[in-house]
Amino acid sequence: MDIRVICAIGQSGQLGLDGGMPWEGSEDRVYVEDVERFFEITRGHVLICGPKTVASFPDFAHNDRTIVTIRSSDDPEDVLSRFAERVVFVGGGPAVWDVYAKYVRHWDINRLPYDGEADTWFDPAWLLAGGRHTIRR
Ligand SMILES: NC(=O)c1ccc[n+]([C@@H]2O[C@H](COP(=O)([O-])OP(=O)(O)OC[C@H]3O[C@@H](n4cnc5c(N)ncnc54)[C@H](OP(=O)(O)O)[C@@H]3O)[C@@H](O)[C@H]2O)c1
């Protein structure tokens, strides 16, 4: 299966603030281009996300991608197997990536110049989730 993530983080891993992006409303080119790129790359594909992340998308986002709200009661492998023939983007938030990271083969992370507050953070451990560890002594 082709399971991916596309996300944007601040300089220290900031992901979210008050239900939206921490840099929400910024009109600087780098932030606008990030949003445009997100919609371009996910176009035509499946985007599975927790309820707050789904609520943060504008209505038009539903027109040209399949946005699916996932719940903690859903079995991740059941969810993913429903879209076996599609490219699936796991859209977060953190509790979702905690569980789905081990299935992800491609991470697309845009590190933005934002250095302010956040209430939701990226965890670098997601990148190696489910991998095998070799301990050298
Ligand atoms: N910067 C970025 O690229 C980016 C990307 C995504 C999100 N965000 C930001 O992150 C924030 C929202 O994230 P959030 O984590 O607070 O809320 P969220 O998107 O609602 O995601 C967490 C919720 O997903 C549900 N869920 C679904 N499957 C799950 C599973 N297998 N295990 C655990 N929970 C599961 C749970 O809700 P139930 O228990 O109710 O089912 C959980 O509370 C917003 O500020 C948003 O803008 C930023």
Side-chain angles (χ1 to χ4, degrees), residues 52-123:
K52 283 195 217 153
T53 299
V54 170
S56 74
F57 293 133
D59 288 345
F60 74 78
H62 294 261
N63 296 343
D64 48 5
R65 58 195 58 65
T66 307
I67 298 179
V68 178
T69 305
I70 52 173
R71 306 307 303 260
S72 47
S73 52
D74 295 329
D75 177 64
E77 295 190 11
D78 283 351
V79 171
L80 296 171
S81 66
R82 283 163 54 198
F83 305 106
E85 304 304 317
R86 307 272 307 270
V87 176
V88 179
F89 285 89
V90 182
V96 168
W97 285 321
D98 280 343
V99 174
Y100 286 76
K102 68 177 177 181
Y103 303 108
V104 174
R105 90 171 171 79
H106 186 280
W107 289 83
D108 179 328
I109 304 164
N110 192 7
R111 189 162 174 240
L112 295 166
Y114 179 84
D115 212 6
E117 60 175 321
D119 57 23
T120 311
W121 298 83
F122 186 86
D123 181 352

